[in-house]
Amino acid sequence: MMSAHPLIRLLDRGSTLFLVLLGAFAIAIPVLNLLMPAGSALHVSTYFVALFGKYVCYGLLALSIDLIWGYVGILSLGHGAFFALGGYAMGMYLMRQIGDRGVYANPILPDFMVFLNWSELPIFWYGFNNFAYAMLMVLLVPGLLAFVFGWFAFRSRVTGVYLSIITQAMTYALLLGFFRNNFGFGGNNGLTDFKDILGFNVQADGTRNALLVISCLMLALCFLVCRAIVTSKFGKVLIGIRDAESRTRFLGYRVEAYKLFVFTVSACMAGIAGALYVPQVGIINPGEFAPANSIEAVIWVAVGGRGTLTGAVLGAFVVNYAKTFFTSGFLAPYWLFMLGGLFIGTTLFMPRGIIGTYNNWRANQADKKDAARDNAKNDAFPSAPPHAAE
Amino acid sequence: MVKFHDRIVALVFAIGLLVVAAGLAHAGPYEDALEKFTTDEFADTAEAVTEVATSGSPLAAPLIAALQDGRLQFSAKDKKVFIKTADDKLIDAETGKPFDGTPPDDLDTVRVNNRLRGVIEAANGALTLMAPDAGKRYESAQSVFKSRDAAVLPAVEKALEAEKVARVKKILNEARAAILLAADDTSAPDRIAAIEVIRARGDQDSLALLQSLPADLPADVRATANGAIKTVERNLALWNTVQNLWYGLSLGSVLLLAAIGLAITFGVMGVINMAHGEMVMLGAYTTYVVQDVIRTSYPGLFDYSLAFALPLAFLVAAIVGIIIERTVIRFLYGRPLETLLATWGISLVLMQAVRAVFGPTNKEVGNPSWMSGAFDLGGILITYNRMWIIVFTGIVFVALLAMLRFTRLGLEMRAVTQNRQMAAAVGIRTARIDALTFGLGSGIAGIAGVALSQIDNVSPNLGQGYIIDSFMVVVFGGVGNLWGTLVGALTLGIANKFLEPFAGAVLAKIAILVFIILFIQKRPRGMFALKGRAIEA
């Protein structure tokens, strides 16, 4: 395995399957939505397109969490903050695109600023009418926050639950801040009433499908980046840090630099996820910063299987589909019981998640087969980590 | 003989004095004033009201009350004033006796306009200055201090002479000073004396009064006034600091109460219990249920409801805590991050369960009589519920400290905190200690819930509001030492309250969070960290 061609290392069987499936969805859903007549049995509703697009964004968020939790053992309970910051950057671009079509028809100021009697655009809103600048900010703002936060945290060796708690404090502080009107991000109501993106109407079917395809592409791209990181020599050091941080440090690796790099990359990915999420759901508000959201994203990863990348995305899809399914029916009052049960059940009975458990099972099967075939000493299949770093 | 003569003279003189006195009494200020009611001129009526109020006559109060209610009648012809009673009988205002002749035919009601109503109010104030009840006198002196009506000055001075109660006398003196300061024709020495009195009072009202003095005062008065303003300002700043300290102490004790159980479980087991806030909530709901039962079945016991709620809340939360430990957490030892997720799941389940049983709305939890109300201490207002919570927190803290220090369980808990393996090696059943510790930590959260139910809304989300703050306290204070939690909670509470006036509540909170995030860089294990090999994994 180790000596294989980089491309083969990058794309093992599971990854290939994942990318093929993702590609299939990315092609099939727009085709079935746009080309099939509305009455046809094969027609996919626009509602489903938006829903699936949302799941893809969640999948990307889960992927970013898995990169740091599954491979470096950093449990961030504040990744929702990076997601929301990316979302706000995109939301600001979309707000500027409304122009004079807002309720107050002010060509420069978004409605909420007019409503607050502001006379000019705050400096940090400058440039957001430019798409490229806004996209840069989508990466830069979460990345910079993660860099500064991580630089402080990792350098002084804040680890384990302490790190989890202060990341939670970080997102909580941002939540409180963004709720304030004078922060300049629309306060309680956030940013909404978007009209168009790059000149296309955000409500139109075509735009929705395009956003879905772009989301799938970004997910695939980020997935490949993650695979490239974790399968490289660099990735081996990360796993070393996860399993024995002190030992890795004693071997001469600059643990904090490794952590900081991955943490920042992960935050950028979460930012991208947020940026893609906002035009598809049509709103971004401070609620996205809620600590509960970040913890929920962590459970997606746990359900799918941490340290597997594909599992994180799978978990995001499964849990969110369940959420959509249960919260819309008569079972709605029981959803929180189920979610709570999911947290408990996953950690107790399926600590490796769906993919991890499946990999294990397959490894066992292979072992049995090997044992049956030549009764020789079995060769342990490298499998997902048994438990956390500490 | 000479003696006798002298006596006669003295007697005659005395009789003469008496006659004169009687004559004066007959045509006293009260009687003189009455005549002015009969002219039907507002200006005269106003004068009459003031004179009546300051006359000191026992008839003054009913007369002014009658005027206020439109029951005061006059006859211009006879120059007589009558008070009409509720049952349409007439009372002679001069004598206070029922009038039994035929009423004059030009009887008319004394008219009142808005300006006059103001005068009447002030007169009432002056009248209650002489009321038999000291509390009433005190209040009325306070209102005179605020109104600074020059017309009341004679009444104030009269009351001042008669006053025996020191508390009322002081405020009367201040009221007099306020009137003198506000008046235009006060002499410079009087003003300076008045300023001294106001300076001694030293509250916000005094400051406003001193600042409202006209600019064109004589130089020495001006200088005294400026000095007094400075003193009062310094005084107010001092009280403001004391008040911030008090609020901070109050917030800190609430934080301490919520965080102390968390600190114990985190210290001993290294487990972050995300469901800790829900234990607090369970305690609060236990209080609600206890009060509900008492209200419907034994209303007389309401003042003792908290005494019943405390042990019950401890038991309920402790039992739930032990169940959680035995069924979930013990399978996750050595995996703190998974424990965090599992306990978060538990907190979701508990919240939803409470929502299902009690409904999502706030529940009404009452304050027992000894916890409601407030009292003044110097320049600050202290509410009884906050005060008792601080006292209660102190008791819980000391009890816990004593338990850790002097009982066997405490000894074993400390041993497990310091070195789990060694503790197990010397025969401590660590699993049992874990369960008991978790039960204890949860139970304390439960009684924290009883205290919080007195100052916060009891709703399923109660715990969520405290959990992040509690974490901050534990992270800031460090684990394994309750003093760390104490210092952490009080520091955060007081810092928060001192920042609030400058930055507002939300920014203060953000500043605290940022501060802790930075603080963690310097001391990653908190202020009072355990030291030694066992700590670094």
Side-chain angles (χ1 to χ4, degrees):
Chain A
M1 277 294 264
M2 287 301 289
S3 57
H5 187 274
L7 210 61
I8 298 174
R9 254 197 294 142
L10 198 61
L11 293 174
D12 61 355
R13 250 179 35 177
S15 307
T16 317
L17 183 65
F18 169 75
L19 288 176
V20 168
L21 269 177
L22 190 66
F25 274 118
I27 295 167
I29 292 175
V31 166
L32 294 180
N33 175 248
L34 292 176
L35 298 184
M36 286 290 157
S40 158
L42 288 174
H43 176 76
V44 167
S45 70
T46 308
Y47 166 77
F48 184 79
V49 174
L51 196 66
F52 196 82
K54 203 168 92 171
Y55 291 170
V56 173
C57 297
Y58 286 149
L60 184 49
L61 173 62
L63 187 73
S64 74
I65 293 175
D66 195 23
L67 179 63
I68 54 166
W69 188 33
Y71 290 92
V72 204
I74 302 169
L75 177 58
S76 163
L77 294 184
H79 246 52
F82 303 126
F83 181 81
L85 285 174
Y88 264 99
M90 178 60 110
M92 285 160 83
Y93 163 74
L94 293 170
M95 284 311 265
R96 294 299 309 272
Q97 292 304 302
I98 295 175
D100 55 8
R101 284 169 293 173
V103 178
Y104 297 107
N106 188 313
I108 307 281
L109 296 185
D111 276 348
F112 74 88
M113 291 189 192
V114 183
F115 184 73
L116 290 174
N117 275 328
W118 290 13
S119 55
E120 54 187 282
L121 207 60
I123 289 173
F124 50 84
W125 275 74
Y126 287 3
F128 271 96
N129 50 346
N130 180 318
F131 185 74
Y133 177 79
M135 291 309 102
L136 185 68
M137 286 297 134
V138 163
L139 290 177
L140 213 58
V141 173
L144 198 67
L145 176 64
F147 185 83
V148 172
F149 188 89
W151 192 75
F152 277 121
F154 299 137
R155 203 181 46 126
S156 45
R157 302 185 189 176
V158 178
T159 53
V161 287
Y162 281 94
L163 189 83
S164 304
I165 295 300
I166 64 167
T167 49
Q168 189 179 33
M170 176 192 76
T171 190
Y172 185 59
L174 285 167
L175 169 78
L176 293 176
F178 274 75
F179 262 122
R180 287 175 65 89
N181 275 332
N182 57 10
F183 248 53
F185 297 102
N188 208 356
N189 300 319
L191 310 175
T192 188
D193 280 339
F194 307 134
K195 301 287 190 238
D196 45 34
I197 175 167
L198 288 173
F200 301 102
N201 182 352
V202 284
Q203 305 284 349
D205 283 3
T207 321
R208 287 191 178 282
N209 282 297
L211 282 168
L212 170 67
V213 173
I214 294 169
S215 302
C216 289
L217 279 176
M218 286 314 293
L219 178 58
L221 185 69
C222 290
F223 177 76
L224 288 175
V225 170
C226 288
R227 281 296 298 179
I229 291 175
V230 302
T231 53
S232 64
K233 182 162 169 279
F234 185 90
K236 300 290 168 216
V237 179
L238 295 183
I239 293 175
I241 293 171
R242 176 191 70 192
D243 292 340
E245 182 169 335
S246 305
R247 208 173 297 179
T248 314
R249 185 176 287 122
F250 299 154
L251 285 173
Y253 292 100
R254 298 204 33 158
V255 168
E256 58 274 16
Y258 281 83
K259 279 179 156 183
L260 186 55
F261 173 76
V262 182
F263 191 62
T264 310
V265 168
S266 165
C268 291
M269 284 184 188
I272 295 172
L276 289 166
Y277 174 80
V278 168
Q280 299 190 63
V281 298
I283 185 168
I284 175 81
N285 63 23
E288 295 296 335
F289 284 104
N293 281 16
S294 298
I295 299 186
E296 222 178 295
V298 170
I299 204 63
W300 305 337
V301 180
V303 167
R306 58 182 281 229
T308 59
L309 295 182
T310 47
V313 182
L314 179 72
F317 272 75
V318 168
V319 177
N320 280 298
Y321 181 71
K323 186 174 185 172
T324 311
F325 181 77
F326 286 115
T327 50
S328 56
F330 67 98
L331 286 169
Y334 304 101
W335 164 244
L336 278 178
F337 285 124
M338 281 184 251
L339 185 64
L342 203 58
F343 273 93
I344 303 165
T346 309
T347 45
L348 279 186
F349 305 116
M350 222 170 58
R352 293 165 188 217
I354 298 171
I355 299 283
T357 309
Y358 172 74
N359 283 347
N360 250 21
W361 176 78
R362 271 199 24 159
N364 281 341
Q365 294 296 99
D367 283 353
K368 271 189 205 140
K369 224 188 280 174
D370 283 353
R373 196 161 49 204
D374 51 26
N375 237 350
K377 195 176 132 198
N378 53 11
D379 181 28
F381 198 86
S383 61
H387 54 72
E390 278 181 274
Chain B
M1 269 316 241
V2 175
K3 252 185 186 170
F4 179 74
H5 176 80
D6 281 356
R7 274 187 189 172
I8 294 290
V9 172
L11 188 66
V12 169
F13 190 70
I15 288 171
L17 259 184
L18 269 178
V19 169
V20 170
L24 276 178
H26 178 71
Y30 175 74
E31 288 75 10
D32 287 348
L34 279 185
E35 217 159 285
K36 292 186 183 154
F37 282 115
T38 62
T39 60
D40 205 17
E41 294 281 340
F42 286 128
D44 285 343
T45 314
E47 254 175 62
V49 168
T50 314
E51 281 171 25
V52 164
T54 52
S55 68
S57 158
L59 293 171
L63 181 104
I64 287 179
L67 177 62
Q68 206 165 14
D69 302 348
R71 291 186 287 108
L72 193 68
Q73 305 205 304
F74 72 99
S75 153
K77 218 166 45 188
D78 298 0
K79 298 247 177 259
K80 274 196 128 353
V81 181
F82 303 98
I83 297 169
K84 198 164 81 176
T85 58
D87 47 353
D88 272 343
K89 294 220 175 78
L90 287 181
I91 293 174
D92 189 340
E94 198 171 335
T95 58
K97 303 223 166 60
F99 179 72
D100 40 6
T102 41
D105 46 7
D106 64 337
L107 206 59
D108 202 357
T109 307
V110 180
R111 290 177 305 149
V112 175
N113 66 359
N114 261 347
R115 197 182 73 83
L116 212 49
R117 278 191 197 98
V119 176
I120 294 172
E121 279 302 313
N124 262 335
L127 277 176
T128 38
L129 285 175
M130 309 292 278
D133 177 22
K136 271 213 180 105
R137 294 204 298 273
Y138 183 81
E139 269 170 37
S140 108
Q142 281 281 29
S143 67
V144 171
F145 178 84
K146 293 215 169 80
S147 70
R148 294 169 220 154
D149 185 354
V152 201
L153 187 59
V156 171
E157 282 177 337
K158 195 168 258 172
L160 205 49
E161 273 167 40
E163 191 54 63
K164 297 266 181 334
V165 183
R167 189 170 71 104
V168 185
K169 195 161 187 140
K170 178 169 169 288
I171 194 95
L172 275 172
N173 214 357
E174 286 159 6
R176 178 172 169 272
I179 295 172
L180 285 176
L181 274 183
D184 297 328
D185 52 351
T186 315
S187 69
D190 275 357
R191 264 187 207 275
I192 290 176
I195 287 171
E196 292 301 327
V197 172
I198 298 296
R199 186 225 295 264
R201 178 179 163 113
D203 64 354
Q204 201 70 47
D205 290 331
S206 322
L207 187 63
L209 176 62
L210 289 171
Q211 281 167 342
S212 71
L213 285 177
D216 55 342
L217 289 170
D220 54 339
V221 179
R222 188 74 259 174
T224 321
N226 285 346
I229 287 174
K230 276 214 189 75
T231 318
V232 172
E233 272 171 348
R234 215 176 310 130
N235 191 22
L236 282 178
L238 184 72
W239 277 115
N240 202 15
T241 311
V242 172
Q243 171 156 331
N244 278 341
L245 267 178
W246 169 254
Y247 286 163
L249 200 64
S250 166
L251 178 66
S253 68
V254 167
L255 286 179
L256 179 62
L257 216 45
I260 201 164
L262 199 66
I264 294 177
T265 45
F266 190 35
V268 174
M269 302 153 76
V271 160
I272 276 285
N273 178 15
M274 296 290 262
H276 188 78
E278 278 53 52
M279 301 297 156
V280 176
M281 175 197 65
L282 284 181
Y285 270 92
T286 309
T287 318
Y288 163 72
V289 172
V290 166
Q291 287 202 347
D292 206 41
V293 170
I294 285 181
R295 238 187 237 123
T296 51
S297 313
Y298 315 96
L301 290 176
F302 190 75
D303 273 356
Y304 304 98
S305 57
L306 295 190
F308 294 107
L310 273 181
L312 276 175
F314 183 88
L315 273 183
V316 168
I319 289 171
V320 173
I322 290 176
I323 292 174
I324 291 173
E325 203 277 338
R326 286 287 89 186
T327 56
V328 177
I329 292 175
R330 80 182 163 116
F331 299 108
L332 297 172
Y333 283 134
R335 291 153 64 193
L337 300 183
E338 269 94 337
T339 315
L340 200 152
L341 292 180
T343 47
W344 173 260
I346 293 169
S347 99
L348 287 182
V349 170
L350 284 177
M351 263 197 287
Q352 191 62 13
V354 167
R355 211 172 277 138
V357 175
F358 294 98
T361 49
N362 289 348
K363 288 290 171 212
E364 164 83 22
V365 172
N367 286 341
S369 60
W370 48 274
M371 275 187 89
S372 29
F375 64 95
D376 275 309
L377 185 82
I380 57 171
L381 186 75
I382 291 181
T383 52
Y384 279 108
N385 55 7
R386 293 270 172 187
M387 188 190 75
W388 283 119
I389 284 175
I390 292 177
V391 171
F392 178 68
T393 309
I395 294 171
V396 170
F397 182 79
V398 170
L400 209 53
L401 215 56
M403 200 223 91
L404 283 179
R405 182 77 186 76
F406 298 114
T407 66
R408 175 150 191 102
L409 177 63
L411 179 71
E412 294 182 348
M413 275 168 63
R414 281 183 291 138
V416 175
T417 310
Q418 283 166 18
N419 194 327
R420 176 172 291 267
Q421 267 125 18
M422 277 310 288
V426 297
I428 294 172
R429 287 163 60 197
T430 54
R432 186 172 149 271
I433 295 296
D434 286 338
L436 289 178
T437 308
F438 208 82
L440 179 69
S442 304
I444 289 169
I447 58 177
V450 178
L452 290 185
S453 73
Q454 295 297 309
I455 52 171
D456 204 343
N457 296 327
V458 177
S459 77
N461 301 328
L462 172 75
Q464 292 290 302
Y466 289 97
I467 190 73
I468 289 187
D469 288 331
S470 308
F471 285 150
M472 292 301 113
V473 168
V474 173
V475 166
F476 181 57
V479 296
N481 188 338
L482 288 186
W483 291 104
T485 317
L486 176 76
V487 175
L490 292 186
T491 312
L492 293 191
I494 291 173
N496 210 337
K497 287 298 169 190
F498 270 92
L499 283 175
E500 264 178 25
F502 306 106
V506 173
L507 282 184
K509 196 148 200 177
I510 295 173
I512 296 279
L513 290 177
V514 171
F515 164 74
I516 291 175
I517 290 171
L518 291 178
F519 177 84
I520 290 292
Q521 321 303 328
K522 271 274 157 248
R523 306 203 58 161
R525 302 277 161 185
M527 275 188 302
F528 290 74
L530 278 180
K531 294 183 181 68
R533 250 188 300 186
I535 304 309
E536 195 73 44

